[in-house]
Amino acid sequence: MASLLQPDRVLYLVHGEKKIRSPLSTLYFCRYCSELRSLECVSHEVDSHYCPSCLENMPSAEAKLKKNRCANCFDCPCCMHTLSTRATNIPAPLPDDPSKTAMKKAYYLACGFCRWTSRDVGMADKSVASGGWQEPDNPHTQRINKLIEYYQQLAQREKLERDRKKLARRRPYMPLAFSQHTIHVVEKYGLGTRLQRQRPGAPITSLAGLSLKEGEDQKEINIEPAQALDEVEPLPEDCYTRPINLPEVTSLRQRLLQPDFQPAGASQLHPKHKHLLIKRSLRCRKCEHNLSKPEFNPTSIKFKIQLVAVSYIPEVRIMSIPNLRFQKECQVLLTLTNPVENITHVTLVGCEEGDPEDINSTAKVMVPTKELVLAGKDAAAEYDELAEPQDFQDDPDVVAFRKSNKIGFFIKVVPQREEDGDVTVSFKIRHDFRNLAAPIRPSEEGDAPAEAIWLTHHVELSLGPIIA
Amino acid sequence: SDKMSDKQSAQKSAKIASGAVVCVESEIRGDVTIGARTVVHPKARIIAEAGPIVIGEGNLIEEQALIINSYPENITPDSEGVEAKTMTIGINNVFEVGCMSQALKIGDNNVIESKADLGRNMILTSGCIIGACCQVNTCEVIPENTVIFGSGCQRRVQTERPQPQTLQLDFLMKILPNYHHLKKTVKN
């Protein structure tokens, strides 16, 4: 049954700040710490910006300047689809001879989904295919920019004063893993850096020098306070009597996507530049190594560094479940797959009474006591006809079948609760792991094989409801 | 019994105007009239069960489109007092691939996009666009130049009607006869 292969049937426990149970396919494995990591115990960093429709890469500084919007692509203000540029031929007078007309190409923006065109809001056709389209100016831009400047200055001043007070606590050592990219000037009203998040309240005195040179005269920026008005513009007289033209009224979503104007009428909806997407890289919080680093090219989906858990940890999957009955022993068939190329030894251990990690199980489970041996993953095995099948001497009561790097084995389940809901079992899986990332020590005997360490993971299986 | 024989004699074969291109692989059942310059692709189906269908000029009916004049759900074909209503389709309409239309009255210059589903009680005026996969089964007259789109069948009004597909029609009328046999009007 395909539903047995659903990812959330088998959960692995991650020991982090929070105990998280999630499928192995969503987890990462830090091979320096030799521990599983989930998305919540890694730090997410922005790697690069790109536009989802033209797939153009944009350096972060430029992205920040353009407010994370693409210069060439537009979104339909009506349905938020990507707009495409269409051309028509219109007769236009020749510049040399006004009496003759020649066919000239005129370009307009059109949405393929809701059939919105730029002519609907009165935008004239442009003579160039790209680059001619401008977003309307926000009338309040000047005031907003002045306010931002003033508050940025205020934040810098406050930060300097705070740093000066805590000057006694100097930090002589800065970790080398931080790149120039992440050391921004800490702005109270801007983006926080990873530094600030990890150690809240700690001063970053070595950075203080970056923001302002001593003795430089700061331009004093004064702003006028906002003035409250007594009289508000009155409503139009026909406000209650005028029939509503429903197609003209904008929906809330359409309105709020244009925060500058928030037009109430559909004939004022102008297209906005398309928002950029980011590629993110993940970093282990304990050892600061990268767990996932995508390629720089937006068209490539590969990774430069991809330390996902499925390529290091043996994966347990449910193969078949018999009818589960209350307090009757049932035999469930599970599979174990070995992702690495060397032979892996796996031992399964049931959870003891009072195990703090065992909170969800609703059934007793008897796991095979013998050690299971998994063959290495050999990509060329299916093409190699001369290879002899390895003989592992499996106990037929325990191992149901064996196929290259996968085995099927039985566990016995006795459901303990008669309630509605799924029967859940949990056990621990202990396997050997050869850490190829550890620095190779110069050994006197020649090639020493990488040392194996033993890892233990807590696994929970959801086996489905009891059938009465 | 008189009524039954009248009904049977009234069901003639399709009347296809001379400029129309109707591929032989299309299924046309019942009393169907097809105007000039209309193109009916192979595997299109035009079925006149509960009454005749009159299709105007310059229409484009693509593959697997289904135009059916069927009996309403709660009426069986044999019950008495059922009038045969004529389904009229105007000019320059486009029925895209896989759409289904049961609407009794369709005006001009409409576009019914792929896999759209029109109910029997709809009346399309002109310039309407029923978006892909939109199922519309209300009892109303769709005003001119309305666009129905999206999974929630949102609506908006566009300022200009969709252009008639003259280029496409000319191209198809030249190319389709090269690859398909055409249906001609059966002379009585």
Side-chain angles (χ1 to χ4, degrees):
Chain A
M1 286 204 301
S3 61
L4 291 177
L5 292 173
Q6 290 292 316
D8 48 351
R9 301 294 285 246
V10 179
L11 303 177
Y12 282 66
L13 175 67
V14 178
H15 301 269
E17 291 156 10
K18 291 184 268 189
K19 302 256 181 263
I20 294 172
R21 288 167 167 77
S22 64
L24 198 65
S25 48
T26 60
L27 296 177
Y28 294 85
F29 181 70
C30 179
R31 57 182 187 181
Y32 306 93
C33 309
S34 297
E35 278 178 14
L36 281 175
R37 297 264 176 259
S38 77
L39 279 178
E40 306 216 10
C41 33
V42 295
S43 57
H44 303 236
E45 295 159 7
V46 172
D47 205 56
S48 58
H49 299 266
Y50 68 98
C51 170
S53 74
C54 63
L55 292 179
E56 183 200 335
N57 210 320
M58 210 182 271
S60 316
E62 193 185 335
K64 197 170 172 186
L65 202 62
K66 294 204 181 141
K67 302 199 195 303
N68 289 333
R69 305 245 171 201
C70 177
N72 307 325
C73 307
F74 288 90
D75 273 341
C76 173
C78 183
C79 65
M80 298 89 199
H81 197 62
T82 311
L83 289 176
S84 48
T85 312
R86 299 226 186 114
T88 54
N89 282 322
I90 51 161
L94 282 174
D96 306 329
D97 196 354
S99 56
K100 288 194 203 149
T101 58
M103 299 304 281
K104 218 172 57 157
K105 275 209 185 298
Y107 299 94
Y108 63 98
L109 294 171
C111 173
F113 189 58
C114 68
R115 310 275 177 137
W116 181 93
T117 64
S118 56
R119 294 170 177 169
D120 286 352
V121 287
M123 289 168 79
D125 295 350
K126 302 280 183 274
S127 48
V128 285
S130 60
W133 304 99
Q134 301 292 337
E135 279 185 27
D137 283 328
N138 186 357
H140 306 291
T141 317
Q142 273 201 355
R143 169 91 175 143
I144 292 179
N145 283 341
K146 217 169 169 213
L147 282 172
I148 291 179
E149 268 181 37
Y150 174 75
Y151 278 105
Q152 274 182 349
Q153 205 187 58
L154 194 62
Q156 275 184 11
R157 221 181 284 158
E158 285 184 7
K159 184 178 77 74
L160 274 178
E161 284 181 16
R162 209 175 352 121
D163 291 345
R164 230 174 269 140
K165 280 185 208 162
K166 297 184 183 171
L167 203 58
R169 260 215 280 161
R170 300 184 86 242
R171 293 206 157 251
Y173 149 72
M174 280 291 281
L176 291 170
F178 297 156
S179 66
Q180 276 300 113
H181 186 72
T182 55
I183 302 177
H184 301 291
V185 173
V186 175
E187 293 168 11
K188 191 167 156 185
Y189 295 98
L191 305 166
T193 63
R194 216 175 63 245
L195 290 165
Q196 202 182 27
R197 270 205 305 279
Q198 281 183 337
R199 293 172 291 208
I204 309 167
T205 51
S206 52
L207 295 179
L210 288 175
S211 62
L212 198 57
K213 297 186 181 55
E214 295 292 339
E216 189 183 87
D217 271 340
Q218 268 186 338
K219 247 190 323 178
E220 277 296 324
I221 302 177
N222 290 321
I223 51 165
E224 302 133 17
Q227 294 186 333
L229 296 170
D230 258 342
E231 285 183 11
V232 188
E233 233 180 67
L235 285 174
E237 278 176 10
D238 58 352
C239 179
Y240 295 106
T241 52
R242 187 170 25 120
I244 294 181
N245 181 10
L246 208 53
E248 177 68 11
V249 177
T250 51
S251 72
L252 259 187
R253 183 148 188 248
Q254 290 167 351
R255 215 177 283 192
L256 295 176
L257 276 178
Q258 316 230 336
D260 300 352
F261 304 99
Q262 296 180 32
S267 49
Q268 268 100 51
L269 282 176
H270 288 268
K272 279 199 91 92
H273 286 279
K274 203 162 182 66
H275 219 77
L276 297 177
L277 296 181
I278 57 160
K279 283 198 173 195
R280 66 173 170 186
S281 58
L282 302 171
R283 196 186 282 274
C284 172
R285 283 205 186 132
K286 287 196 191 140
C287 64
E288 304 290 344
H289 277 103
N290 260 326
L291 294 177
S292 160
K293 198 166 166 68
E295 290 254 350
F296 188 69
N297 189 358
T299 54
S300 165
I301 59 167
K302 294 189 189 171
F303 288 84
K304 284 184 198 157
I305 301 174
Q306 193 184 15
L307 298 178
V308 283
V310 282
S311 18
Y312 293 96
I313 310 289
E315 187 179 359
V316 176
R317 280 195 181 184
I318 306 175
M319 186 149 175
S320 76
I321 307 177
N323 285 335
L324 298 167
R325 293 189 197 287
F326 177 53
Q327 285 189 339
K328 298 253 186 314
E329 193 180 88
C330 327
Q331 211 177 46
V332 176
L333 179 60
L334 306 177
T335 61
L336 247 185
T337 314
N338 179 16
V340 293
E341 285 171 347
N342 29 24
I343 293 183
T344 308
H345 306 269
V346 178
T347 318
L348 300 166
V349 178
C351 293
E352 292 166 19
E353 289 284 327
D355 189 350
E357 293 170 355
D358 185 13
I359 49 175
N360 285 336
S361 63
T362 60
K364 266 198 261 186
V365 61
M366 269 77 77
V367 291
T369 46
K370 284 191 219 163
E371 189 180 71
L372 302 166
V373 183
L374 299 172
K377 183 167 156 179
D378 188 4
E382 52 179 313
Y383 304 109
D384 196 358
E385 291 157 356
L386 300 173
E388 286 167 15
Q390 294 164 304
D391 189 15
F392 285 101
Q393 299 191 331
D394 297 321
D395 181 355
D397 289 334
V398 170
V399 176
F401 65 89
R402 181 180 285 274
K403 187 178 166 188
S404 64
N405 62 331
K406 181 160 77 162
I407 64 164
F409 64 99
F410 295 106
I411 60 169
K412 294 186 178 43
V413 173
V414 184
Q416 299 290 100
R417 286 193 218 162
E418 207 177 1
E419 63 204 9
D420 297 330
D422 287 347
V423 174
T424 316
V425 297
S426 44
F427 51 84
K428 302 219 193 297
I429 166 174
R430 187 167 173 268
H431 68 101
D432 58 343
F433 170 67
R434 274 178 181 73
N435 195 352
L436 301 165
I440 303 171
R441 291 182 311 235
S443 64
E444 295 108 18
E445 303 121 26
D447 274 340
E451 286 185 3
I453 56 174
W454 288 87
L455 301 174
T456 308
H457 309 288
H458 177 91
V459 180
E460 284 183 9
L461 305 170
S462 164
L463 297 176
I466 295 184
I467 300 176
Chain B
S1 59
D2 260 349
K3 271 196 188 157
M4 285 298 285
S5 60
D6 275 346
K7 274 191 195 162
Q8 279 165 8
S9 60
Q11 280 177 3
K12 302 185 185 92
S13 331
K15 284 193 278 282
I16 303 175
S18 54
V21 172
V22 179
C23 297
V24 98
E25 292 92 344
S26 63
E27 183 186 332
I28 304 190
R29 272 198 273 144
D31 185 1
V32 177
T33 312
I34 300 183
R37 294 195 73 238
T38 294
V39 175
V40 179
H41 278 71
K43 296 298 179 190
R45 297 194 292 154
I46 308 177
I47 298 175
E49 255 179 10
I53 298 182
V54 176
I55 301 183
E57 302 187 356
N59 294 300
L60 178 56
I61 302 168
E62 295 187 355
E63 288 87 345
Q64 301 194 357
L66 172 59
I67 302 176
I68 178 166
N69 186 355
S70 64
Y71 294 100
E73 282 171 12
N74 51 350
I75 299 178
T76 55
D78 297 329
S79 56
E80 300 288 334
V82 179
E83 287 175 16
K85 290 191 190 162
T86 310
M87 179 188 277
T88 27
I89 298 178
I91 63 174
N92 289 337
N93 296 301
V94 177
F95 293 83
E96 287 192 11
V97 175
C99 70
M100 158 138 98
S101 165
Q102 293 179 308
L104 280 179
K105 195 158 160 22
I106 298 182
D108 311 327
N109 289 40
N110 300 301
V111 176
I112 301 172
E113 287 188 4
S114 303
K115 298 227 177 200
D117 204 333
L118 279 182
R120 187 174 166 85
N121 298 316
M122 306 266 307
I123 297 179
L124 295 184
T125 47
S126 54
C128 302
I129 299 184
I130 314 291
C133 267
C134 288
Q135 286 180 329
V136 211
N137 200 355
T138 50
C139 182
E140 67 175 305
V141 176
I142 310 276
E144 289 198 10
N145 291 345
T146 307
V147 180
I148 299 181
F149 65 97
S151 54
C153 288
Q154 285 172 282
R155 297 190 185 189
R156 57 172 290 272
V157 176
Q158 53 177 8
T159 48
E160 35 183 54
R161 49 170 54 183
Q163 295 165 342
Q165 303 275 18
T166 33
L167 280 177
Q168 175 87 322
L169 282 173
D170 289 338
F171 178 75
L172 285 170
M173 286 174 66
K174 257 192 308 186
I175 295 288
L176 272 179
N178 291 344
Y179 297 96
H180 296 277
H181 294 288
L182 302 180
K183 277 192 185 166
K184 302 274 189 244
T185 310
V186 174
K187 294 211 169 57
N188 292 343

